[in-house]
Amino acid sequence: MWPADIPPALCRKARPSAATYTTSRDTIRSGDLLFVSGQVGSRSDGSPEPDFGRQVQLAFDNLRATLNAAGCTFDDIVDVTTFHTDPENQFETIMAVKNQVFGTPPYPNWTALGVNWLAGFDFEIKVIARIPEAA
C-alpha cells in the first residue's frame, strides 16, 4: 500500500529493469526520508544499455526522475550506495558523471561496492534523501 503522499507512479513496475527479479518498489517514504532502491541504466525496453558511460548516465537520469517525483533533487541526497561489476575499470567513468551531478559540497556519504551480478547491468545506484518540508 502506498502512503498517500508518495505518488504510485514511483513504482518500478511502471518501468522494466533489473527489478523484474523482485517485488519491491522504487521508493519508500519514512518520515522525512526517501529511500530509493537501485536505479539502473536501462533502455526504453528495459534491457541494459550496452555502452557503460551511457548506462551510468541513464541510471542517474532515472534517479533524478524518481527524486523529482517525490519533490527531491540531488541536493537532498544524504547517502549513496553504488554497485559496480568492474570497479577498477569503471570508476573513472562513474566519477565523471558523479562530478556533474554532485558538483559542489556538501557531498553525500558514498559507499561503492564491487559485485559480480546486476541482472545484466554493470552499474546500479541507490540513495537515501531528506524530503524538503515543502514536498
Side-chain angles (χ1 to χ4, degrees):
M1 179 71 82
W2 282 93
D5 53 356
I6 296 291
L10 291 180
C11 181
R12 171 173 269 147
K13 294 189 186 316
R15 185 185 82 253
S17 70
T20 303
Y21 299 97
T22 71
T23 58
S24 63
R25 304 185 311 226
D26 267 353
T27 62
I28 293 177
R29 180 178 186 158
S30 179
D32 65 345
L33 296 177
L34 183 71
F35 296 82
V36 181
S37 67
Q39 302 293 298
V40 294
S42 57
R43 299 184 289 191
S44 60
D45 66 358
S47 64
E49 167 58 50
D51 176 80
F52 182 70
R54 181 78 181 125
Q55 188 180 129
V56 172
Q57 185 61 58
L58 284 170
F60 274 94
D61 292 348
N62 290 337
L63 176 58
R64 176 181 283 113
T66 301
L67 290 168
N68 289 345
C72 297
T73 69
F74 285 112
D75 292 337
D76 299 310
I77 294 175
V78 296
D79 188 69
V80 176
T81 303
T82 51
F83 305 90
H84 317 260
T85 57
D86 187 5
E88 187 175 357
N89 292 313
Q90 297 168 337
F91 212 65
E92 186 176 334
T93 301
I94 294 163
M95 293 305 289
V97 177
K98 176 237 177 222
N99 290 337
Q100 291 174 358
V101 172
F102 299 105
T104 59
Y107 302 113
N109 292 335
W110 195 302
T111 302
L113 301 169
V115 298
N116 61 14
W117 187 78
L118 289 172
F121 294 89
D122 293 307
F123 176 80
E124 184 173 325
I125 182 170
K126 65 181 264 235
V127 303
I128 301 170
R130 183 165 307 282
I131 301 171
E133 288 186 31

